[in-house]
Amino acid sequence: MPTVDVIVKGGKIVNHDGTREGSVLIEGEKIAGIMAGSELPEAGEVIDAAGLYVLPGLIDPHMHLQDSSRNPTFSNGDPVYTFEDNVRTESQSAAGGGVTTCIPMVFLRRDPGLSFLEIFEESKGFVEKGATVDFGFSGLITSDQHIEELPRYARELGMTTFKFMMAYRGEEAEMFGVRSVDDGQIITGFEQLAKLHAEGFPAWAMVHTENMDIVYNYKARLKAAGRQDLAAWTEARPSIAEEENLRRALFYAESTGAPLYVVHMTIGLGVDLVADAKARGVNVIAETCPHYLQFTKDDHDKIDILGQVNPPLRSEWDQERLWEGIRPGVISCMGSDQSTIMPVTEKRKQGLWTSIPGFPGTETMLSTLLHEGVNKGRIGLEKVVELCCYNNARVFGVYPQKGEIAVGSDADLVLVDLHKKVKVTPDILHSNADYTLLDGMEMEGWPTLSMVRGTVVMRDGEITGRPGHGTYIPRRASKSAQA
């Protein structure tokens, strides 16, 4: 009789604090042991990891699974995706890229003003029916009711992270189907989350920092000038717009004691602002995204308007400052900010100023960090694990269940061939999106196997996990879950 269910044998096991040779023993859904040497117990299945690196499954804490049927601008015949569709396809995409836990926003399920108490069970049901990987939820705060109900969301739903749009009002809010909140609502929400955090909940105020008065001013000028190049999108959303909002968010967090999570930071100056705030005792976490580490506003010839994203791609100087912020841990989390609401034909037809910004990124998040970070000598594999696994798990309240290869943790693993070269096209990826910024690029470093709670869900690029294997992970109050 086998002693354990699965052994991942002979790989280089990577955690945030080091790498060692060994084998991972799995019993059921959990890691039962980590052993060095060749004398191993009997197992029902042995997965040969020789020559490969074994990482904890990645956690994507920032992604969007919008309901594109709410967008009235789509032409007849263009595909429409619901939240339910996206849970199924984008969880397969996540599995393809070594991401074993996703934490998307749930605000576009129907009406963004609905209470999460009304839509939670339905949204959770879509995960239980269609997800290949595990899920948590974040919510977009759009109303006084949301703010009032924040304690109930944490206590009853296990949903503890909430996005406050300091950007998006007017025509851009209509484009996404979102509702912005004013500064008074932001401060009240921050106060609520400060109380929850003090009780031990992994509660964070997530902020999208762009000053829309500044954006609309520059955007009007550039549209009038007839600009359609990618750099124009950046010029319409200049660094000062992000800097002003970031300074204000840090001030509100410092004033209220709120735990602040800055999503998709793009500006190099942000590294200094966050470092200074941390030194003053502000409880702030900075996240950036892979595309800001790989592309710049000057890459129109490579990606043209498909690189349209909010906040925008920046300069090479900003990009290098982000890498410099990652190395000492000033930027401590990584998210994809994936958005797959619009097909490529529609994006090109509507053009730079009308099409909805965003692109897929969950499936290629790991490969980007391997290619641009590890293989170019910018960071080590331990830093990849720290950014995408360990820190994300601790900040979002799923540690030690997730985020580390340790006895008792979920058997969420990804095997990586650090020197495998892959030419990327949309056809080899698993998203419902029919485009990728990496189209035609050869990437060095690629995941070869993904495992969620002891079950292989991707092997050699083929999705082997079944819809419904994924489960909803509630976040609860626990001092050990704090960052």
Side-chain angles (χ1 to χ4, degrees):
M1 291 290 291
T3 305
V4 295
D5 294 325
V6 180
I7 294 178
V8 179
K9 182 181 178 181
K12 296 178 180 178
I13 300 168
V14 187
N15 276 316
H16 73 284
D17 55 357
T19 300
R20 58 172 170 154
E21 299 271 357
S23 299
V24 182
L25 282 55
I26 298 166
E27 184 67 31
E29 297 186 344
K30 300 291 184 179
I31 295 173
I34 301 170
M35 297 182 63
S38 58
E39 293 188 10
L40 299 170
E42 292 293 320
E45 179 184 6
V46 176
I47 297 172
D48 185 6
L52 303 176
Y53 292 88
V54 184
L55 279 59
L58 274 66
I59 299 164
D60 189 347
H62 183 193
M63 60 188 302
H64 303 276
L65 304 181
Q66 292 104 323
D67 187 339
S68 65
S69 64
R70 297 186 73 253
N71 191 304
T73 64
F74 282 5
S75 304
N76 292 334
D78 282 325
V80 170
Y81 305 110
T82 65
F83 183 85
E84 181 178 10
D85 295 330
N86 278 313
V87 166
R88 177 178 50 81
T89 62
E90 304 319 294
S91 68
Q92 292 177 350
S93 177
V99 175
T100 57
T101 303
C102 296
I103 307 178
M105 303 289 163
V106 293
F107 72 97
L108 283 183
R109 272 290 306 114
R110 191 180 298 118
D111 174 353
L114 284 175
S115 166
F116 296 115
L117 298 170
E118 296 180 64
I119 65 172
F120 172 77
E121 287 299 331
E122 184 181 23
S123 300
K124 178 172 174 280
F126 291 147
V127 168
E128 293 170 341
K129 176 184 176 182
T132 303
V133 304
D134 288 347
F135 270 67
F137 289 146
S138 293
L140 181 74
I141 298 299
T142 65
S143 68
D144 289 335
Q145 181 182 7
H146 283 163
I147 294 168
E148 181 182 347
E149 292 177 345
L150 280 173
R152 293 189 64 187
Y153 301 152
R155 295 187 176 103
E156 298 175 28
L157 310 181
M159 186 164 72
T160 63
T161 45
F162 302 94
K163 195 171 185 180
F164 293 77
M165 283 293 190
M166 300 182 77
Y168 293 137
R169 51 186 173 77
E171 65 180 26
E172 291 200 1
E174 290 297 320
M175 175 185 291
F176 280 101
V178 303
R179 299 176 187 172
S180 61
V181 287
D182 61 35
D183 284 14
Q185 291 172 310
I186 290 171
I187 289 173
T188 304
F190 278 24
E191 290 171 342
Q192 288 270 48
L193 291 173
K195 293 175 184 176
L196 287 169
H197 201 83
E199 294 175 24
F201 284 96
W204 293 88
M206 306 169 76
V207 288
H208 177 138
T209 57
E210 286 188 292
N211 183 308
M212 292 309 297
D213 291 329
I214 295 173
V215 169
Y216 281 140
N217 180 44
Y218 281 88
K219 190 174 181 180
R221 298 185 209 174
L222 289 152
K223 287 175 70 175
R227 292 276 299 276
Q228 289 287 332
D229 55 295
L230 182 60
W233 189 258
T234 299
E235 291 172 34
R237 314 181 84 89
S239 295
I240 191 174
E242 185 172 340
E243 179 189 342
E244 187 279 335
N245 257 198
L246 177 56
R247 287 180 182 273
R248 187 146 46 99
L250 290 166
F251 173 63
Y252 290 164
E254 190 168 11
S255 299
T256 62
L260 183 69
Y261 185 95
V262 181
V263 299
H264 51 45
M265 193 170 75
T266 76
I267 55 174
L269 181 58
V271 175
D272 300 313
L273 294 176
V274 169
D276 290 346
K278 285 177 176 286
R280 296 196 308 271
V282 179
N283 190 4
V284 56
I285 297 291
E287 167 204 277
T288 194
C289 306
H291 42 277
Y292 300 120
L293 301 173
Q294 186 166 22
F295 298 102
T296 73
K297 64 182 179 62
D298 299 315
D299 282 329
H300 183 88
D301 290 344
K302 294 180 183 177
I303 55 179
D304 61 63
I305 68 165
L306 297 185
Q308 170 205 39
V309 64
N310 296 336
L313 302 173
R314 301 287 182 195
S315 68
E316 289 185 10
W317 179 86
D318 289 291
Q319 185 178 87
E320 186 52 41
R321 287 292 289 130
L322 294 179
W323 281 112
E324 290 172 3
I326 285 171
R327 286 189 280 271
V330 177
I331 296 174
S332 52
C333 289
M334 185 71 57
S336 72
D337 195 20
Q338 162 150 324
S339 176
T340 60
I341 195 170
M342 181 172 275
V344 67
T345 52
E346 194 71 34
K347 286 183 76 72
R348 294 195 187 283
K349 180 165 54 181
Q350 293 191 18
L352 182 71
W353 302 111
T354 306
S355 62
I356 299 177
F359 36 72
T362 295
E363 189 164 2
T364 54
M365 181 164 67
L366 175 57
S367 61
T368 294
L369 291 174
L370 298 175
H371 180 83
E372 295 290 335
V374 179
N375 283 323
K376 291 187 178 181
R378 290 183 168 117
I379 56 174
L381 272 172
E382 292 87 354
K383 179 60 74 171
V384 173
V385 170
E386 182 182 315
L387 280 170
C388 299
C389 310
Y390 180 71
N391 285 350
N392 285 349
R394 292 175 69 238
V395 170
F396 283 81
V398 295
Y399 179 84
Q401 182 180 357
K402 309 285 187 182
E404 190 170 38
I405 299 176
V407 174
S409 296
D410 283 356
D412 294 353
L413 304 174
V414 52
L415 272 58
V416 165
D417 185 337
L418 191 55
H419 300 295
K420 181 176 182 178
K421 294 182 179 179
V422 174
K423 184 176 181 179
V424 182
T425 66
D427 293 340
I428 71 166
L429 303 177
H430 301 89
S431 170
N432 69 29
D434 55 357
Y435 61 99
T436 169
L437 296 191
L438 306 184
D439 197 358
M441 293 183 60
E442 184 177 77
M443 302 291 285
E444 183 177 7
W446 202 260
T448 63
L449 182 144
S450 300
M451 176 182 289
V452 176
R453 289 179 285 107
T455 296
V456 176
V457 295
M458 183 276 290
R459 194 189 299 263
D460 296 326
E462 179 183 353
I463 303 302
T464 58
R466 60 173 180 80
H469 175 69
T471 188
Y472 175 71
I473 307 293
R475 277 83 57 71
R476 302 299 184 191
S478 170
K479 290 298 182 182
S480 66
Q482 300 302 293

